[in-house]
Amino acid sequence: MRFAVTEQDTALAEAAGEVLAKQAGAEQIRAGWPGGRTESVDAVWRTLAGVGVTGALVPENADALTLGPSPGPGLGLGLDENALPPLMEMLGRSGLPVPAAEIVAVGAPLLAAAGAPQLPSVLEGSALLTVSLAPDAPVPFGARADLIAVPHGDGLRLYSREEVETEPVDSVDCSRRLARVHAPAGGGLLLAEGPAELAAAYGRGVLATAALLLGLAGRMLELTLAHVRERHQFGVPVGSFQAVKHALADVELAVRFARPAVLAAGWAQAAGDPETAVRTSMAKVLASEAARKAARTAIQCHGAMGYTTEYDLHLYAKRAWALAADWGGPAQHREFIARRLGLAGGRTVQEATEESRANGGAAAGPGIVSEGAGT
Amino acid sequence: MDLTWSAEEEAFRQEARAWLAANVPANPLPSGDTRAGFAAHLEWERALFEARWSVVSWPEAYGGRDASLWQWLVFEDEYHRAGAPARVTQNGIFLLAPTVFAFGTEEQQRRILPRMAAAEDLWAQGWSEPGAGSDLAAIRSRAVRDEGAGGWRLTGQKTWTTRGAFCTHLFGLFRTDPEAERHRGLTYFLVPLDAPGVTVRGFERLDGDEGFAEVFLDDVLVPDADVLGGVGEGWRVAMATTGSERGLTLRSPGRFLHTADRLLDLARAKGPGAHRDRVVQSWIEAQAYELFTLEQVTSIVEGRQVGAESSLNKLFWSQLDIALHETAAELLGPEAEVDGPWSRGFLFSLAGPIYAGTNEIQRNIVAERLLGLPRR
């Protein structure tokens, strides 16, 4: 038993943190919003790709697998899911508007496994990839990604943007560039099929999103702490008022109790723990709730400043609201856990599992997760 | 990251599980916060001691098993899962003992610890006073030096003393230097409750049990040998104990995991959809408390100090305990008012945000020490 992140897994997060500290200031974050120029966001992403972020979960010999025997250096870092929580928390803190969970946790490993020729450009950060495993849901960055993987027919299929019709949808977080994606029959590259493969991919997306939410919550808490120390009312710092202290203590409490659950979900995925699916859903519930609490407390403690788009807080709060709902919101994940605990409609766990098998295991959980997989 | 138990820990778990399965009383004991129940609990705790399960993490010389912190956690998990009785000796074992290990002289350790492990000496915590609850530094009970008698004369009043009427000894803070600042001039004393000048009056708690007591001290003579950690050092010594009380040692995850399992059983029995969202959320939080604890234990095992973080534990488990019991009440419907394990557990859970330093104080500690917000 050792419940702590290894040095190997923190090293990548720290490398990413250095890049973000240098290159992802408010200017780059705002550049991803309407009226900005996404070129500067893409430049930061390419630098992050350069330190290995995109290839975190890609095998070290992926280039040999995809491109045939070649003398080139390996493309991936060959890490496992234990690397996702610290890395994604760091990316979440930055607020950089990119489909980080979709590329790092879901897309790149699937492209590598499928031997997709698009892998090198995704790993270099030159092609922006996005993924959604929830049928009919708006696809994050669907209006801007070069490559789009969505469920279709027999599984998850990868399309180039020219192959699909996209219909942009406004989002609470304008930098998410949501779009509804219509993929034609035929075409595309099959990336994953069958309940086990889809559930594993889905679980990695949920885990990565949970960790992004932790990062956002931490960033919002920090912004708020700085504000309430500086801002004086009635002759004293606002942060000396007990009501403000208690509200922020509750945010810290939520974040500190969500983080171990996110780490445990990463470990479970890497170790093939039988409770992986439940642990993953738990992580998403706790992280989503913590981030929502952080957002509303941060806005309240900022007063009217928090209710403007002039101030940076909204960049993080809106991302938090979007991600709390994406990859299964808390209620969906609780519902999934309820079924696994035998609390669904009077059915036992065994009955629920049987039913899931009978349905081919698909679409039984939040998004496309399968009850049968991961057990 | 590694969340698997070692073979050694698994073997320890099996041994504990087997013993508990064979020895835990088949019918729940009456409340240990009543005189009759207390006696029944002592019988159980003495059996626990005979089999060397009463203080597993202590050195063997004092009646323990030299178990690691991980093994202790495993034992606590098994203890609660087996439905074993709540420990009426817990204030001594979990609050005083860590302080005796850290600050006691060798003579004190040898005199106090084995009798505590064997449930022969029964310790009550004497910190709260009518004018000092969570504001511990406001205590007024005093100790005056008596050179002729070679000790200290204690005078004052302690209150809300859990099981004070059934215990044999009291540990508490007394003011030895009235001129010093609030936090200084306090000394940690150990007091036998049968000493001349001690009067103990039991009174009822919210749950109807007589588990509280007022302890009046009138010129009670305590020898120097019963000063713990040095004269004037009481605050520093006591703070080491509050960390235990709020955090790990008193509130191992086993208790909440067990309650969450009982809640699931209740929800399954009530049938489809009954308050499912609340049931699942409470269950999730019990798991989260366990994971947070595993993270903390890792820190401790690797030599890091857990300080103000114990306030996070306190806030989380006390709120969780209420949530678990309120959710059970929703499931029970009209049955919730009937006297039984759930209604009694609910009443007890309400004490959680008050004792061991109120949750308001814990939030201040989190805000000031962990988040760095200004005191004033």
Side-chain angles (χ1 to χ4, degrees), chain A residues 1 3 256-257 260-261 264 279 282 286, chain B residues 3 5 13 70 73-74 76-78 81 248 251-258 261 282-298 313 316-317 320:
Chain A
M1 179 72 67
F3 198 110
R256 290 287 287 266
F257 276 83
R279 285 185 187 270
M282 262 181 60
L286 290 163
Chain B
L3 292 184
W5 297 104
R13 181 187 295 279
W70 294 119
L73 214 55
V74 165
E76 285 287 308
D77 190 26
E78 290 300 319
R81 281 185 197 282
L248 282 182
R251 290 296 169 256
S252 67
R255 190 177 135 206
F256 306 105
L257 293 170
H258 174 60
D261 283 345
S282 300
W283 181 86
I284 287 174
E285 287 174 12
Q287 315 302 310
Y289 185 67
E290 183 186 33
L291 293 169
F292 182 82
T293 305
L294 295 177
E295 196 182 47
Q296 270 191 325
V297 170
T298 301
N313 286 65
F316 198 85
W317 65 248
L320 167 61

Side-chain angles (χ1 to χ4, degrees), chain B residues 120-335:
Chain B
E120 287 172 23
D121 291 347
L122 307 164
W123 290 88
Q125 187 187 57
W127 285 2
S128 295
E129 296 187 2
S134 291
D135 183 9
L136 203 56
I139 62 167
R140 286 202 294 256
S141 291
R142 64 186 191 277
V144 178
R145 185 75 194 148
D146 183 338
E147 288 296 345
W152 296 81
R153 298 252 173 215
L154 274 47
T155 301
Q157 182 189 353
K158 298 290 178 179
T159 193
W160 308 305
T161 309
T162 298
R163 291 179 288 272
F166 321 135
C167 286
T168 61
H169 289 70
L170 180 93
F171 59 94
L173 289 180
F174 292 79
R175 193 163 293 285
T176 40
D177 182 358
E179 306 298 315
E181 271 182 82
R182 274 161 41 97
H183 293 76
R184 312 193 193 285
L186 293 171
T187 301
Y188 199 124
F189 283 98
L190 307 172
V191 188
L193 287 171
D194 61 0
V198 176
T199 309
V200 178
R201 186 187 77 86
F203 61 100
E204 256 189 27
R205 304 190 312 198
L206 183 66
D207 59 13
D209 287 352
E210 52 198 302
F212 271 164
E214 289 179 296
V215 180
F216 300 92
L217 302 109
D218 182 14
D219 222 22
V220 177
L221 181 66
V222 173
D224 286 331
D226 284 338
V227 169
L228 186 59
V231 174
E233 295 294 317
W235 180 261
R236 188 172 67 89
V237 176
M239 284 306 105
T241 316
T242 56
S244 304
E245 185 175 21
R246 289 166 193 163
L248 282 182
T249 55
L250 197 53
R251 290 296 169 256
S252 67
R255 190 177 135 206
F256 306 105
L257 293 170
H258 174 60
T259 308
D261 283 345
R262 286 169 53 222
L263 184 66
L264 287 186
D265 288 342
L266 184 63
R268 290 191 191 108
K270 289 287 167 185
H275 304 284
R276 199 190 297 169
D277 211 51
R278 285 185 70 169
V279 172
V280 172
Q281 184 64 27
S282 300
W283 181 86
I284 287 174
E285 287 174 12
Q287 315 302 310
Y289 185 67
E290 183 186 33
L291 293 169
F292 182 82
T293 305
L294 295 177
E295 196 182 47
Q296 270 191 325
V297 170
T298 301
S299 274
I300 294 169
V301 167
E302 297 188 350
R304 287 186 292 277
Q305 293 282 322
V306 172
E309 277 85 356
S310 65
S311 293
L312 293 170
N313 286 65
K314 162 83 204 304
L315 287 166
F316 198 85
W317 65 248
S318 60
Q319 293 177 170
L320 167 61
D321 204 23
I322 292 175
L324 286 162
H325 286 89
E326 281 185 344
T327 307
E330 289 295 319
L331 287 166
L332 286 163
E335 296 291 321

Side-chain angles (χ1 to χ4, degrees), chain A residues 286-313:
Chain A
L286 290 163
S288 298
E289 303 278 24
R292 282 177 174 166
K293 186 190 278 276
R296 66 176 177 266
T297 307
I299 290 172
Q300 180 66 26
C301 290
H302 274 84
M305 260 175 82
Y307 204 75
T308 68
T309 58
E310 309 272 293
Y311 188 68
D312 289 343
L313 178 60

Side-chain angles (χ1 to χ4, degrees), chain A residues 2 245-246 250 334-335, chain B residues 2 276 281 302 364 368:
Chain A
R2 182 176 185 272
K245 284 182 181 173
H246 287 196
D250 281 339
R334 278 195 290 263
E335 184 64 26
Chain B
D2 181 12
R276 199 190 297 169
Q281 184 64 27
E302 297 188 350
N364 286 351
E368 289 164 14

